[in-house]
Every structure is written in structure tokens, then in C-alpha cells.
Amino acid sequence: MSGERTERERATGGADKPACEGGQRQLHPEPEADPILEVEGLFLSFTQYGTGLRQRTLEVIHDLSLTARAGELVAVVGASGSGKSLLAHAIFGILPDNAQVAGSMRFRGQELDAELQETLRGTRMAFVPQSVDYLDPLMRTGEQVRGVRGTAERAREALDRFGLDERVERLYPFELSGGMARRVLVSTAVIEDADLIVADEPTPGMTLEMAKEAMKTFREFADAGKAVVVITHDLDLAYNTADRIVVFYAGQTFEIADAADFRDGGTRLRHPYSRALVDALPQNGFRPTAGTQPYADDLPAGCLYAPRCAFKSEECEAGHPPFSTYAGGQVRCFHPLGGVGAADDVPGKANSDDAGLKVQAREAEQARVVPSPNARLLEAAGVSFEYKKGAPILESVDFSVREGEIVGLYGPSGRGKSTLAYLLSGRQKPQSGVISWDGSPLPSRGYCPVQLVYQHPERAVNPRWQLGKTLTESWNPPRELQESLGIEEAWKKRWPNELSGGELQRFCIARALNPQTRILICDEITTMLDVVTQAQVWRAIVAQAREHNMGVVAITHNLYLADRICDRIVEI
């Protein structure tokens, strides 16, 4: 350990600077630039079995639209489970067999049918998938980056760019940290000479520097005349790198705006949900929005955002707003905010202090807590660990957390943060050193007081269990806790592959918040969540920790978030 970061200036790490080197972009391609990808009026539904052998059709995407032109980087943001990844899979023709697609998707003016998708996939269209499970577990990473058409020289150049040395080429995916695996995935795409690159959540698990490098790479591809679509929850990176940002919600396009409109507090944005995303950033107030995104089989009669909107009217609850051009952008709203930044221009809303988005959450930061010296202690003393035939991951590490305190664990990818989490929770044993709970070894039987929420939720649930069974595996969380984490009742009847990564992660968090849990270890748990839901989930965890005197270890690359929720920050 290099020590604790206790000063706010160190905790923010200078992150007030633009997230992409070279400053903020103000220009974007001219409107007459050739469109490479055009998606218009996309509808997507799945045929599912209900009770017995009864089939039903569940429509999950309703009227999505997006255009990416030559020389343009388009960022897609929005709620977890809003259809962002499904859009990417539809473009590449890799949806499951029970999916039905309607609407228009065109590549350079040609309709993207199944035959053309198969021809272009991996050649003129490159895809960076969201899950690191797409890496072949039986193939060394160097071979995967090189692929079929690449060369060893180009693969080495791509890996060097993301700080991965020659040793990494000889490793298998399970030997990589989450951030390193992400960088390998990005490398497999950038080695191709594609006209269109679609990257689905390419930066979770990366340090700010590596995430900026990845976005810089995508920016360079766009500047070279490619079209780049980046699906992301990292709004900072998006508005400092992209030309335009598309906002999705509940399977619809809510707003398309210049990236510059998201800066300066988002006062030029037109849709209330877009402004809620900006308000929910840790550095902007960390304000959640009451309610949750509606599930596909329980949509409201009118505007899909109306149940959560502070500016709704009777018209919003009765009808569906059109997607129209307004104030230099496009928005789906009966009462667009017009880029003015005040609620005075919204019909029927004269006082934004009473009805605005900002009053839906506490404004005060969580007070720093100094735990009682008598509180039970989880401690790692002189811990070392290394994988077989590999370099040491941890060497003589000391770390501790007491009941009642929230400790941030920060450091570059590959430094052993996740490995330390496995050791602290008893998932692995150190080669040397001691892990102790209240002066004794962790219990080997019964419920462990130290619980770990994994970085990748799909690895932590049984794919053959419905989510309701997963949730009640160790206890039955009260409905109030489930609602605070944004868990919908209808999700409990779903299978893990029917939910997004962010939705699945909420079940893993609720399961771990058992009253018997004394220390909760959170390994990059909200990187798959939109910023509004991130604020909602972290506020729920902090509230549980304070109420039940539970210790929390928050592993994160987001220093704004760590400074907002943690009592102290430790760098590894």
C-alpha cells in the first residue's frame, strides 16, 4: 500500500480537468457527412413462454433511432436495461433466435439484413462486447487480439497502447484483472480496419488514465473518417470526447444533443431525464431520482418517464410524446425545457424549488465517520499472493476496515484490488500473511460475516435459477430495501440472461445486505449502472451501513464517487 488519501484534492485526483486529453471538443461533422450507420424506428421484441406452454411477445425496444456519420463519435447513454446493448446486438445480428426486429437499419445506405451482417461482421463492422466472458477462456490473450487477419506486430502495438506488456500476451483471460480484460477486448476491435466500431461499455474497471486512452483511440478512429458508437455510463468521458450524445430510456430515444449541451450542469438539455443524469454525477450533487425505469411488460399509458418526472402534466400521462426537433437538438417530450436551464419555461411549473429534480434527494454529503476502537476489525497483515507461474500480485499488504466505516480502495488495474477482495472474503488463501476477523480466522462454515459483491454479476448467480430464488438464497430482503435498490417485482420471475448487467447486479447487492453481514466488499459494483441508479444504489448501501453499523470496502476507479461516500481512501 502506498497509504491513505485523505485530502479532497488528492481524492479527486485532478479530475476537474477534461476527461479526454486535448480539452473539450466543440466541433462535430457537418450534417452532409455520409451516414455510415442509420437506425430508424427500431422495434425489438422477444417471444417467451409464460405459464405452462403459453407464449407471449414482450416488446423491449419501442421506436429507437440513431445515426452515426463518417468522422463522428456518438455516445449512447441512459438507464440500465433501456436497450443499449440490445441495439448493438441487433446491429451485428447476434440476437437470440426468439428475437423479432422491425424498423430500418442501414450500413452506408444498404439495408442491414442477415446476409449483409454476416459479411460485414468482423471486417467492416467491429464490436467491443460488454462482458469479458466473450474472451475465449482456452486461448491466450495475444492470439485473441491478433485474430484471423491481424499480425503479431499490430497486436503488440494495440496492447502497448493500453499499457499491457508482453507478459500479458501469454496469459489466459482468467489470469487478467477486470480492467486488463477490458483493455484486451478493446484491443481486439481497434486492430481491425473497420468503417464502423460499436463499443459496448468499453471502460468499466479501467483507471481514469486508461479509460481516457481508450476514448482517445476511438476519437482518433472517428477523426480518420470512421463512425464510432460508444455505449457508456461514464457521462464525463462521453461529453468530453463525443460529438453527439443519444439518451435512451425504457427502450426509446429520449434526446439527441450535442455533447457540449451536457457541460456546465446540463442547463441546455431539453429532456428532464437528461438533466437528471447530469445532476446524479458525484461531482454535481449525487442526486438520485425517485422511482425506477418501467419494465417492458408494465409500461405506463403515456410518456414512459411521466411517473418520475417533476414536470409532468395530464397530457404526459395520457399520450405518447413525439420525437421532434427542438432548440438545436431532438427530444421526445411534450414540455421540453428548451435549453434555458430554469423551470419557469415549463407550462404549469412556476416554482422549480418546489417541483424540480434537485429536491428529490438529500443535498448534504454523508458525514465522515470515525469508528469506535471497540468495533470488530477485518484485517489483512503482511498478505502476499501470486498466481502460478506469474509475478506477485500482492506483496506484504496491510489493510483493515472496522464495523461502521466505509473505506475506498483505489489503484490501477492489475494491482490486486479484486484479489485482495477475494482474500478478505475468504474466497482465496494468501501464500503468506494473515487474514483475521475480530482477531480470529474467518469462519469456514455457516454464514460468513464478510460478503463480497463481484465486479461481474453474471458470474455470481446460478443461470438456472429465476432471480426470485437467487434473491432469497440467504435471506428475504424487505420490500423497502428492494425498492431503494431499484429492484422491480416483475424481475423476480426472470432468468439471469433476461436482465441487463446493471439490473442483475442489484440482486447481488440485495442478497449480500443480509443483517448478518458485518463487512460488505463491493468490487466495482456500479460500473454497469447509469449515474442516476448509481446514486440511488450507493445511497441505499450507505444508509444500510450507517443504520446497521456495517463496514464497507468500496473498490472503485471513480475518485469523485469515493470522495463522496467514503470515510477514508486507501491506494493500492
PDB file of all heavy atoms in Angstrom, residues 277-296:
ATOM      1  N   LEU A 277     -29.581  12.849 -15.314  1.00  0.00           N
ATOM      2  CA  LEU A 277     -28.298  12.153 -15.448  1.00  0.00           C
ATOM      3  C   LEU A 277     -27.151  13.053 -15.015  1.00  0.00           C
ATOM      4  O   LEU A 277     -26.244  12.623 -14.294  1.00  0.00           O
ATOM      5  CB  LEU A 277     -28.099  11.698 -16.896  1.00  0.00           C
ATOM      6  CG  LEU A 277     -28.963  10.545 -17.402  1.00  0.00           C
ATOM      7  CD1 LEU A 277     -28.758  10.348 -18.903  1.00  0.00           C
ATOM      8  CD2 LEU A 277     -28.655   9.258 -16.660  1.00  0.00           C
ATOM      9  N   VAL A 278     -27.173  14.293 -15.444  1.00  0.00           N
ATOM     10  CA  VAL A 278     -26.100  15.233 -15.087  1.00  0.00           C
ATOM     11  C   VAL A 278     -26.137  15.530 -13.595  1.00  0.00           C
ATOM     12  O   VAL A 278     -25.093  15.565 -12.926  1.00  0.00           O
ATOM     13  CB  VAL A 278     -26.234  16.533 -15.911  1.00  0.00           C
ATOM     14  CG1 VAL A 278     -25.183  17.553 -15.479  1.00  0.00           C
ATOM     15  CG2 VAL A 278     -26.083  16.233 -17.404  1.00  0.00           C
ATOM     16  N   ASP A 279     -27.333  15.730 -13.032  1.00  0.00           N
ATOM     17  CA  ASP A 279     -27.456  16.028 -11.600  1.00  0.00           C
ATOM     18  C   ASP A 279     -26.981  14.873 -10.723  1.00  0.00           C
ATOM     19  O   ASP A 279     -26.581  15.077  -9.577  1.00  0.00           O
ATOM     20  CB  ASP A 279     -28.909  16.348 -11.242  1.00  0.00           C
ATOM     21  CG  ASP A 279     -29.323  17.746 -11.670  1.00  0.00           C
ATOM     22  OD1 ASP A 279     -28.423  18.563 -11.920  1.00  0.00           O
ATOM     23  OD2 ASP A 279     -30.534  18.005 -11.760  1.00  0.00           O
ATOM     24  N   ALA A 280     -27.033  13.636 -11.244  1.00  0.00           N
ATOM     25  CA  ALA A 280     -26.687  12.463 -10.442  1.00  0.00           C
ATOM     26  C   ALA A 280     -25.193  12.198 -10.390  1.00  0.00           C
ATOM     27  O   ALA A 280     -24.760  11.325  -9.632  1.00  0.00           O
ATOM     28  CB  ALA A 280     -27.403  11.231 -10.991  1.00  0.00           C
ATOM     29  N   LEU A 281     -24.377  12.910 -11.171  1.00  0.00           N
ATOM     30  CA  LEU A 281     -22.927  12.726 -11.101  1.00  0.00           C
ATOM     31  C   LEU A 281     -22.435  13.083  -9.699  1.00  0.00           C
ATOM     32  O   LEU A 281     -22.910  14.046  -9.094  1.00  0.00           O
ATOM     33  CB  LEU A 281     -22.225  13.605 -12.136  1.00  0.00           C
ATOM     34  CG  LEU A 281     -22.406  13.194 -13.600  1.00  0.00           C
ATOM     35  CD1 LEU A 281     -21.893  14.292 -14.522  1.00  0.00           C
ATOM     36  CD2 LEU A 281     -21.699  11.881 -13.890  1.00  0.00           C
ATOM     37  N   PRO A 282     -21.480  12.328  -9.150  1.00  0.00           N
ATOM     38  CA  PRO A 282     -20.995  12.619  -7.792  1.00  0.00           C
ATOM     39  C   PRO A 282     -20.519  14.047  -7.609  1.00  0.00           C
ATOM     40  O   PRO A 282     -20.727  14.649  -6.560  1.00  0.00           O
ATOM     41  CB  PRO A 282     -19.857  11.614  -7.609  1.00  0.00           C
ATOM     42  CG  PRO A 282     -20.206  10.478  -8.510  1.00  0.00           C
ATOM     43  CD  PRO A 282     -20.859  11.112  -9.709  1.00  0.00           C
ATOM     44  N   GLN A 283     -19.890  14.615  -8.635  1.00  0.00           N
ATOM     45  CA  GLN A 283     -19.376  15.981  -8.512  1.00  0.00           C
ATOM     46  C   GLN A 283     -20.456  17.039  -8.705  1.00  0.00           C
ATOM     47  O   GLN A 283     -20.219  18.214  -8.464  1.00  0.00           O
ATOM     48  CB  GLN A 283     -18.241  16.217  -9.520  1.00  0.00           C
ATOM     49  CG  GLN A 283     -18.632  16.109 -10.988  1.00  0.00           C
ATOM     50  CD  GLN A 283     -18.488  14.724 -11.549  1.00  0.00           C
ATOM     51  OE1 GLN A 283     -18.721  13.749 -10.855  1.00  0.00           O
ATOM     52  NE2 GLN A 283     -18.091  14.628 -12.812  1.00  0.00           N
ATOM     53  N   ASN A 284     -21.670  16.617  -9.103  1.00  0.00           N
ATOM     54  CA  ASN A 284     -22.761  17.567  -9.337  1.00  0.00           C
ATOM     55  C   ASN A 284     -23.871  17.465  -8.307  1.00  0.00           C
ATOM     56  O   ASN A 284     -24.943  18.017  -8.500  1.00  0.00           O
ATOM     57  CB  ASN A 284     -23.359  17.365 -10.732  1.00  0.00           C
ATOM     58  CG  ASN A 284     -22.451  17.854 -11.836  1.00  0.00           C
ATOM     59  OD1 ASN A 284     -21.440  18.506 -11.564  1.00  0.00           O
ATOM     60  ND2 ASN A 284     -22.764  17.530 -13.069  1.00  0.00           N
ATOM     61  N   GLY A 285     -23.656  16.748  -7.234  1.00  0.00           N
ATOM     62  CA  GLY A 285     -24.671  16.658  -6.203  1.00  0.00           C
ATOM     63  C   GLY A 285     -25.104  15.256  -5.860  1.00  0.00           C
ATOM     64  O   GLY A 285     -25.728  15.029  -4.824  1.00  0.00           O
ATOM     65  N   PHE A 286     -24.817  14.279  -6.744  1.00  0.00           N
ATOM     66  CA  PHE A 286     -25.120  12.883  -6.434  1.00  0.00           C
ATOM     67  C   PHE A 286     -26.600  12.706  -6.129  1.00  0.00           C
ATOM     68  O   PHE A 286     -26.987  12.032  -5.189  1.00  0.00           O
ATOM     69  CB  PHE A 286     -24.265  12.439  -5.244  1.00  0.00           C
ATOM     70  CG  PHE A 286     -23.931  10.976  -5.263  1.00  0.00           C
ATOM     71  CD1 PHE A 286     -23.548  10.334  -6.422  1.00  0.00           C
ATOM     72  CD2 PHE A 286     -23.987  10.226  -4.097  1.00  0.00           C
ATOM     73  CE1 PHE A 286     -23.220   8.991  -6.428  1.00  0.00           C
ATOM     74  CE2 PHE A 286     -23.662   8.881  -4.081  1.00  0.00           C
ATOM     75  CZ  PHE A 286     -23.288   8.261  -5.250  1.00  0.00           C
ATOM     76  N   ARG A 287     -27.449  13.327  -6.950  1.00  0.00           N
ATOM     77  CA  ARG A 287     -28.884  13.339  -6.672  1.00  0.00           C
ATOM     78  C   ARG A 287     -29.591  12.216  -7.426  1.00  0.00           C
ATOM     79  O   ARG A 287     -29.648  12.239  -8.653  1.00  0.00           O
ATOM     80  CB  ARG A 287     -29.499  14.674  -7.086  1.00  0.00           C
ATOM     81  CG  ARG A 287     -28.837  15.887  -6.443  1.00  0.00           C
ATOM     82  CD  ARG A 287     -29.515  17.172  -6.906  1.00  0.00           C
ATOM     83  NE  ARG A 287     -28.777  18.327  -6.448  1.00  0.00           N
ATOM     84  CZ  ARG A 287     -27.907  18.993  -7.196  1.00  0.00           C
ATOM     85  NH1 ARG A 287     -27.672  18.617  -8.437  1.00  0.00           N
ATOM     86  NH2 ARG A 287     -27.267  20.045  -6.716  1.00  0.00           N
ATOM     87  N   PRO A 288     -30.169  11.247  -6.730  1.00  0.00           N
ATOM     88  CA  PRO A 288     -30.979  10.240  -7.422  1.00  0.00           C
ATOM     89  C   PRO A 288     -32.338  10.809  -7.782  1.00  0.00           C
ATOM     90  O   PRO A 288     -32.706  11.889  -7.347  1.00  0.00           O
ATOM     91  CB  PRO A 288     -31.103   9.121  -6.385  1.00  0.00           C
ATOM     92  CG  PRO A 288     -31.031   9.842  -5.078  1.00  0.00           C
ATOM     93  CD  PRO A 288     -30.111  11.025  -5.284  1.00  0.00           C
ATOM     94  N   THR A 289     -33.078  10.085  -8.588  1.00  0.00           N
ATOM     95  CA  THR A 289     -34.434  10.473  -8.956  1.00  0.00           C
ATOM     96  C   THR A 289     -35.388   9.410  -8.426  1.00  0.00           C
ATOM     97  O   THR A 289     -35.144   8.216  -8.603  1.00  0.00           O
ATOM     98  CB  THR A 289     -34.579  10.590 -10.482  1.00  0.00           C
ATOM     99  OG1 THR A 289     -33.642  11.559 -10.958  1.00  0.00           O
ATOM    100  CG2 THR A 289     -35.981  11.021 -10.869  1.00  0.00           C
ATOM    101  N   ALA A 290     -36.450   9.822  -7.802  1.00  0.00           N
ATOM    102  CA  ALA A 290     -37.406   8.878  -7.219  1.00  0.00           C
ATOM    103  C   ALA A 290     -37.980   7.969  -8.291  1.00  0.00           C
ATOM    104  O   ALA A 290     -38.208   8.380  -9.430  1.00  0.00           O
ATOM    105  CB  ALA A 290     -38.526   9.641  -6.515  1.00  0.00           C
ATOM    106  N   GLY A 291     -38.223   6.706  -7.918  1.00  0.00           N
ATOM    107  CA  GLY A 291     -38.833   5.764  -8.842  1.00  0.00           C
ATOM    108  C   GLY A 291     -37.798   4.982  -9.633  1.00  0.00           C
ATOM    109  O   GLY A 291     -36.591   5.145  -9.464  1.00  0.00           O
ATOM    110  N   THR A 292     -38.291   4.112 -10.521  1.00  0.00           N
ATOM    111  CA  THR A 292     -37.430   3.289 -11.359  1.00  0.00           C
ATOM    112  C   THR A 292     -37.943   3.303 -12.790  1.00  0.00           C
ATOM    113  O   THR A 292     -39.094   3.658 -13.056  1.00  0.00           O
ATOM    114  CB  THR A 292     -37.393   1.829 -10.862  1.00  0.00           C
ATOM    115  OG1 THR A 292     -38.723   1.295 -10.866  1.00  0.00           O
ATOM    116  CG2 THR A 292     -36.807   1.734  -9.461  1.00  0.00           C
ATOM    117  N   GLN A 293     -37.068   2.897 -13.705  1.00  0.00           N
ATOM    118  CA  GLN A 293     -37.461   2.750 -15.097  1.00  0.00           C
ATOM    119  C   GLN A 293     -38.513   1.645 -15.216  1.00  0.00           C
ATOM    120  O   GLN A 293     -38.356   0.574 -14.634  1.00  0.00           O
ATOM    121  CB  GLN A 293     -36.226   2.391 -15.926  1.00  0.00           C
ATOM    122  CG  GLN A 293     -36.505   2.146 -17.392  1.00  0.00           C
ATOM    123  CD  GLN A 293     -35.245   1.750 -18.138  1.00  0.00           C
ATOM    124  OE1 GLN A 293     -34.786   2.462 -19.014  1.00  0.00           O
ATOM    125  NE2 GLN A 293     -34.652   0.621 -17.784  1.00  0.00           N
ATOM    126  N   PRO A 294     -39.611   1.877 -15.952  1.00  0.00           N
ATOM    127  CA  PRO A 294     -40.653   0.842 -16.054  1.00  0.00           C
ATOM    128  C   PRO A 294     -40.159  -0.381 -16.812  1.00  0.00           C
ATOM    129  O   PRO A 294     -39.343  -0.273 -17.738  1.00  0.00           O
ATOM    130  CB  PRO A 294     -41.783   1.548 -16.799  1.00  0.00           C
ATOM    131  CG  PRO A 294     -41.102   2.624 -17.590  1.00  0.00           C
ATOM    132  CD  PRO A 294     -39.956   3.085 -16.734  1.00  0.00           C
ATOM    133  N   TYR A 295     -40.641  -1.546 -16.408  1.00  0.00           N
ATOM    134  CA  TYR A 295     -40.276  -2.778 -17.097  1.00  0.00           C
ATOM    135  C   TYR A 295     -41.132  -2.927 -18.351  1.00  0.00           C
ATOM    136  O   TYR A 295     -42.218  -2.366 -18.465  1.00  0.00           O
ATOM    137  CB  TYR A 295     -40.454  -3.975 -16.165  1.00  0.00           C
ATOM    138  CG  TYR A 295     -39.829  -5.238 -16.699  1.00  0.00           C
ATOM    139  CD1 TYR A 295     -38.461  -5.303 -16.948  1.00  0.00           C
ATOM    140  CD2 TYR A 295     -40.604  -6.361 -16.980  1.00  0.00           C
ATOM    141  CE1 TYR A 295     -37.884  -6.462 -17.443  1.00  0.00           C
ATOM    142  CE2 TYR A 295     -40.030  -7.528 -17.470  1.00  0.00           C
ATOM    143  CZ  TYR A 295     -38.669  -7.567 -17.706  1.00  0.00           C
ATOM    144  OH  TYR A 295     -38.095  -8.701 -18.209  1.00  0.00           O
ATOM    145  N   ALA A 296     -40.628  -3.719 -19.302  1.00  0.00           N
ATOM    146  CA  ALA A 296     -41.247  -3.798 -20.625  1.00  0.00           C
ATOM    147  C   ALA A 296     -42.690  -4.281 -20.590  1.00  0.00           C
ATOM    148  O   ALA A 296     -43.496  -3.897 -21.453  1.00  0.00           O
ATOM    149  CB  ALA A 296     -40.403  -4.698 -21.533  1.00  0.00           C
TER     150      ALA A 296
END
